[in-house]
Amino acid sequence: MKVARFLTVVLVVAGMSFPATVVRAQSVDQFVQAFSGTWQLVDARYSNLPSTCHMALGSTADANGRFAIKGLGCRGDAALVSSWGVSEGQMALFDAAGAVIARLGGNQRRISGTSVSGAPLIFEKVGVAGTAAMLKTAKRAGGCFYSGFTSKCADAAQAAPPAPEGASVQVLVNLNVRAEARDDAEVVGVVPSQTCVTTELCMTATDGAWCRAKFGERTGWMRKLALRQNRWAIVTFDNSCPKQGG
């Protein structure tokens, strides 16, 4: 099936649950309290392996109203970050000269956005439990990750993350596509079940893989693992797509 079947309307996948607590800060103090602390970058390309890039977001403002960031084990755009704050109504990361490196959105568990070089950035708060813990509990209760909305357990290969770049995958459910790789991001459309999609890149977060793909004029993120009715842990797409015809 073609990706052209992608629907550019906001829909909710029946039975799918993606809980998230969105911070609506009433003041700078509340904003800082919500987002200061230590975060880690999901994409290994920003890390000096085997270390993982960590950023400690400070809570004391400088003369420019920005807050210091202490990075550890970071490279690329991440190594240039020296402070954070609010710019044009969004959370922003700044370099030493005060230029914006990235604008981000999200919640106390995950923030994401795109750097000025066009690379995606996904941060997770260190030590904060979220969807990953719920998936683990659901998997343990059900005995496995289920293949889509079936009662069949997915095997290890089906549940594993897809190739980091250029994977051809087949969606198993009517799957929400989001503007960013996080639960509270805008839904930009829905990929119908059994549709084959070619991903641009995939990243593995604590709650499993998220893959970015282009759908017509839009670009969005699909998550590999999800909760069905807050009860069953499921796999939302296969890591390959059956060949059509003979």
Side-chain angles (χ1 to χ4, degrees):
M1 297 186 183
K2 302 295 184 181
V3 177
R5 292 181 56 197
F6 180 78
L7 306 180
T8 56
V9 294
V10 177
L11 299 175
V12 177
V13 181
M16 301 284 280
S17 176
F18 303 105
T21 303
V22 180
V23 174
R24 293 178 174 85
Q26 300 290 319
S27 68
V28 173
D29 287 344
Q30 288 176 315
F31 179 82
V32 172
Q33 182 179 5
F35 290 99
S36 60
T38 303
W39 297 76
Q40 62 182 357
L41 263 168
V42 168
D43 191 350
R45 288 175 292 185
Y46 295 113
S47 298
N48 287 318
L49 300 176
S51 299
T52 299
C53 176
H54 284 74
M55 291 188 186
L57 277 61
S59 58
T60 301
D62 62 16
N64 297 311
R66 302 189 191 106
F67 306 87
I69 290 181
K70 183 178 180 180
L72 181 65
C74 303
R75 64 177 180 173
D77 288 343
L80 302 176
V81 176
S82 65
S83 64
W84 71 287
V86 178
S87 174
E88 299 180 7
Q90 287 184 285
M91 181 178 181
L93 304 180
F94 303 93
D95 65 16
V100 174
I101 292 179
R103 301 187 192 278
L104 307 168
N107 53 58
Q108 299 101 317
R109 299 194 312 268
R110 181 175 295 169
I111 50 179
S112 63
T114 304
S115 73
V116 291
S117 66
L121 297 168
I122 303 172
F123 292 86
E124 293 187 333
K125 190 74 171 284
V126 174
V128 177
T131 309
M134 298 174 67
L135 284 167
K136 184 177 180 180
T137 299
K139 180 188 176 185
R140 184 167 57 247
C144 67
F145 281 105
Y146 292 97
S147 179
F149 289 164
T150 72
S151 59
K152 176 185 176 182
C153 286
D155 59 27
Q158 187 182 29
E165 298 180 3
S168 180
V169 303
Q170 184 178 40
V171 174
L172 301 174
V173 298
N174 293 333
L175 183 60
N176 281 342
V177 175
R178 297 184 178 269
E180 298 284 348
R182 60 177 195 270
D183 297 337
D184 62 337
E186 174 195 4
V187 176
V188 298
V190 175
V191 178
S193 176
Q194 305 307 307
T195 299
C196 289
V197 174
T198 299
T199 64
E200 294 178 343
L201 61 87
C202 296
M203 298 183 188
T204 301
T206 54
D207 58 354
W210 287 77
C211 293
R212 188 182 72 184
K214 194 166 185 63
F215 305 92
E217 298 300 316
R218 302 298 298 268
T219 297
W221 292 84
M222 309 181 300
R223 63 177 301 165
K224 172 78 173 179
L225 306 177
L227 288 173
R228 180 185 180 192
Q229 297 178 346
N230 283 326
R231 182 176 179 182
W232 296 285
I234 70 167
V235 172
T236 65
F237 59 80
D238 281 330
N239 293 337
S240 61
C241 191
K243 292 182 178 180
Q244 303 295 319

